[in-house]
């Protein structure tokens, strides 16, 4: 299905700026949108185009039920010689048709071509796509009114991500990811990446790369586990630290190609995009400041819950098992504590209410924890023993007895401190900002990448 029409703009310039957004070429069975982007980098560079940015991986609202967990789209931004514009478009379509999982259910690839800087309508759409659930008709309307063109295979669902990727030019905080791809014959086999070298790389590039290795569970985090063509992805603050990290890792299988992407990974972009006093609706990220209501409780499977309330309502917050030690923090909250919960609002099937799946928590205020204690013996000052339920207290050593009314109210130490808490690494979503990135946020003006950032 083709939407939009060709806009003929007379221009004196010999090149035209072109933004290409691609979404949803992958199914749950394999395939990978970034792989198509990586191939296209080479193909369209050979047509005389010049990249004005690294290829972008844009993660959108991670809570959309019908999308894969990552909800990723890619954008390529180039200056194209006027004469080769059609050729570039043809190459893009050819590459998508050749490498996406066309025909598989749930795979609805789409591509959007936008000439010149993305309009403010496109940028607004992109910002919303980070947190809201958008309809493909909205994407079609914006593409048409901007006079741009797009192509969707199957349903038009992929147009949302493709258009959103174009408009998300990452002028705010961003990170980089070096992605290396496997040869076709190796796809589906165990990835042969040396674990020790990954730990070494993690140590040597500390605080400039993130989510490399999970020490808590002794697990490599840079390699995915599916049959897709990605061998590994290293995330970090700059292209140069990624090249250094890549050179440290020992890999025992051929690498087909590698590319450095600029991305919103690890930036909390989904939380930052929520409008102030935005709606609290299912399948969207939420930020809720409030007071802990009920004492936290644990259910089988190790999940921990508590209730949070403020003037807008009352919610159940959940710290699931994979969040690891994060659950201990949550379990130590008590009624009256003041916190800000960051998470995903999900409809609770049984109770018809919303549960907030926690992605991080800020503890602002801790109330005093009061507890009743047995009295101390007036003679030896040790805690006395109760002689039984509703009985008096006794010190056997000193043979002293006190009435049961002598129980004392004391302040107990809290086993949690004020501050920000983030779940275990393995529970991080692509957009989750790891603790190591706080204070490293950056801005960026669109300018051509320099140095070596892709092969060959
Ligand atoms: Zn005593």
């Amino acid at each position: 299905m083709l939407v939009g029409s060709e806009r003929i703009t007379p221009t004196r310039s010999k090149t035209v700026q072109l933004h290409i957004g691609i979404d949803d070429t992958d199914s749950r069975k394999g395939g990978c949108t970034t792989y198509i982007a990586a191939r296209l980098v080479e193909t369209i560079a050979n047509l005389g185009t010049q990249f004005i940015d690294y290829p972008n991986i844009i993660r959108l609202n991670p809570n959309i039920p019908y999308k894969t967990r990552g909800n990723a789209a890619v954008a390529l931004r180039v200056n194209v010689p006027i004469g080769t514009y059609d050729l570039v478009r043809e190459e893009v379509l050819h590459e998508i048709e050749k490498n996406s999982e066309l025909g598989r259910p749930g795979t609805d690839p789409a591509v959007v071509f936008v000439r010149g800087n993305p309009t403010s309508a496109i940028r607004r759409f992109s910002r919303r796509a980070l947190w809201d659930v958008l309809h493909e008709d909205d994407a079609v309307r914006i593409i048409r009114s901007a006079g741009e063109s797009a192509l969707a295979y199957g349903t038009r669902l992929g147009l949302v991500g493709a258009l959103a990727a174009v408009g998300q030019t990452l002028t705010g905080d961003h990170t980089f990811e070096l992605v290396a791809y496997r040869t076709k014959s190796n796809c589906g086999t165990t990835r042969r990446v040396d674990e020790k070298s990954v730990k070494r790389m993690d140590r040597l590039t500390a605080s400039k790369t993130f989510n490399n290795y999970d020490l808590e569970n002794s697990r490599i985090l840079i390699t995915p586990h599916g049959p897709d063509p990605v061998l590994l992805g290293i995330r970090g603050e700059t292209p140069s630290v990624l090249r250094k990290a890549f050179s440290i890792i020992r890999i025992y299988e051929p690498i087909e190609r590698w590319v450095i992407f600029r991305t919103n990974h690890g930036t909390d972009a989904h939380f930052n995009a929520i409008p102030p006093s935005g709606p609290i609706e299912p399948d969207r990220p939420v930020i809720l400041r409030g007071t802990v209501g009920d004492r936290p409780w644990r259910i089988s499977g190790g999940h921990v819950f508590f209730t949070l309330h403020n003037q807008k309502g009352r919610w159940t917050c959940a710290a699931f098992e994979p969040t690891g030690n994060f659950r201990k923090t949550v379990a130590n909250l008590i009624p009256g504590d003041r916190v800000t919960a960051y998470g995903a609002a999900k409809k609770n099937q049984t109770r018809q209410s919303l549960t907030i799946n926690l992605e991080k928590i800020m503890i602002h205020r801790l109330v005093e924890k009061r507890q009743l204690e047995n009295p101390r013996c007036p003679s030896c000052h040790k805690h006395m023993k109760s002689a039984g339920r509703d009985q008096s207290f006794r010190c056997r050593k000193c043979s002293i007895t006190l009435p049961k009314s002598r129980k004392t109210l004391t302040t107990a130490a809290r086993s949690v401190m004020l501050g920000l808490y983030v779940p275990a690494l393995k529970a991080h979503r692509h957009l989750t900002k790891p603790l190591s990135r706080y204070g490293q946020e950056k801005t960026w003006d669109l300018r051509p990448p320099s140095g070596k950032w892709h092969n060959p």
Side-chain angles (χ1 to χ4, degrees), residues 20-26 32-34 37 55-61 67-68 70-77 110 129 157-168 170 261-265:
I20 307 161
I22 306 170
D23 183 39
D24 218 4
T25 53
D26 47 344
C32 181
T33 308
T34 73
N56 297 164
I57 298 175
I58 308 295
R59 300 280 173 180
L60 303 165
N61 180 2
K67 297 286 285 192
T68 49
N71 198 4
V74 299
L76 302 174
R77 308 180 197 280
L157 264 180
L159 288 174
V160 172
L163 182 64
V166 162
Q168 193 57 242
L170 300 172
F261 292 90
R262 203 162 71 86
T263 166
N264 58 1
H265 290 155

Side-chain angles (χ1 to χ4, degrees), residues 377-382 384 395-400:
C377 167
S379 171
C380 72
H381 302 293
K382 288 209 167 127
M384 298 172 82
C395 178
R396 279 207 188 135
K397 201 176 118 203
C398 314
S399 295
I400 293 177

